[in-house]
Amino acid sequence: MALNVIMMGPPGAGKGTQADRFARSRGIPKISTGDILREAVQAGTELGLRARAVMERGELVSDDLIIGIVQNRLDRPDTAGGFVLDGFPRTVAQARALDGLVAGRAPLIVVDIAVADDELVHRLTARRVCSACGTNADRAADAVCGRCGGSLVQRADDREDVVRERLRVYARDTRPLIEFYRGRPTFRSVNGAQPPDAVAADLAAAIEDAASGAGEQVR
Ligand SMILES: [Zn+2]
């Protein structure tokens, strides 16, 4: 059965990395709206040109436009075995539209990587970047950049008050989406407060479990 996965999780949960990793392990595409927007703009498709015009005016790309671009992406043949969506849907309106786009396909499997706020604050405020070359430090304990020897600093975005506000906004915006999906038999939540390898293993098991349950329902 095709694995049609939506990966969700707060900033700092490692969602993008886990989405990449799972997609690569199954040979299915990871689809992030940021990437496909950039692709559409570069390819100069009609939707891409419209998106570029909107972004050049400094406005947010509308639900309709995003949904159109996602639809074009899902229509490509490499999604036959499944896909991992990262960063889409962001709103209940987008989620409803997505249900329409995948009608007739294997059911959507929604995985939420759950991490407590205090742990996210700890992770995000520990991040340091090089003041000279902008590289992220591998370890917060390092004093200088491993690449150029520049001094490591905290980004303004990673200050505790800013991080707490980002998490508050994320929770506010995402709660309706989680509620939209939570009642489905293919919704899973995994514990993201573990080392990345353990999270990856739990994610894979949760997705397999959801897929086999869904397969039984279809039969
Ligand atoms: Zn550096």
Side-chain angles (χ1 to χ4, degrees):
M1 193 174 88
L3 296 175
N4 299 336
V5 178
I6 298 172
M7 198 78 80
M8 298 182 64
K15 172 174 63 81
T17 311
Q18 293 291 349
D20 259 339
R21 198 168 158 169
F22 182 78
R24 224 174 311 124
S25 77
R26 301 306 154 106
I28 56 181
K30 185 193 90 159
I31 300 176
S32 91
T33 34
D35 290 348
I36 57 177
L37 260 178
R38 268 189 296 279
E39 254 179 54
V41 168
Q42 270 168 11
T45 63
E46 191 212 323
L47 289 170
L49 294 175
R50 276 170 56 198
R52 187 172 71 187
V54 171
M55 290 187 291
E56 279 174 356
R57 291 198 300 269
E59 293 166 16
L60 282 177
V61 179
S62 69
D63 273 2
D64 281 354
L65 205 46
I66 292 272
I67 290 159
I69 288 171
V70 170
Q71 178 172 21
N72 282 351
R73 181 63 189 85
L74 292 180
D75 281 347
R76 295 207 336 228
D78 65 345
T79 64
F83 51 80
V84 181
L85 282 171
D86 171 18
F88 181 91
R90 276 194 204 281
T91 64
V92 172
Q94 290 179 358
R96 289 189 203 283
L98 179 62
D99 279 342
L101 297 184
V102 299
R105 296 189 188 223
L108 291 169
I109 296 167
V110 183
V111 206
D112 184 42
I113 304 176
V115 185
D117 272 8
D118 285 345
E119 167 66 15
L120 294 171
V121 168
H122 175 75
R123 287 183 190 179
L124 292 166
T125 58
R127 293 200 300 199
R128 295 293 182 270
V129 311
C130 175
S131 58
C133 75
T135 302
N136 289 314
D138 292 331
R139 293 173 306 158
D142 289 349
V144 295
C145 174
R147 193 157 146 211
C148 77
S151 59
L152 298 176
V153 296
Q154 185 177 45
R155 293 189 325 175
D157 288 10
D158 291 341
R159 276 185 4 231
E160 175 163 350
D161 55 334
V162 180
V163 165
R164 291 219 180 256
E165 175 62 14
R166 275 165 65 202
L167 294 177
R168 201 187 60 74
V169 168
Y170 175 82
R172 185 196 63 199
D173 292 350
T174 311
R175 202 168 297 126
L177 202 52
I178 298 276
E179 291 313 314
F180 180 78
Y181 285 126
R182 193 185 289 286
R184 297 190 182 186
T186 50
F187 177 88
R188 294 290 184 281
S189 179
V190 303
N191 174 16
Q194 311 180 78
D197 286 351
V199 176
D202 281 6
L203 267 173
I207 291 167
E208 294 297 343
D209 179 61
S212 66
E216 265 156 42
Q217 279 182 344
V218 170
R219 249 177 268 140

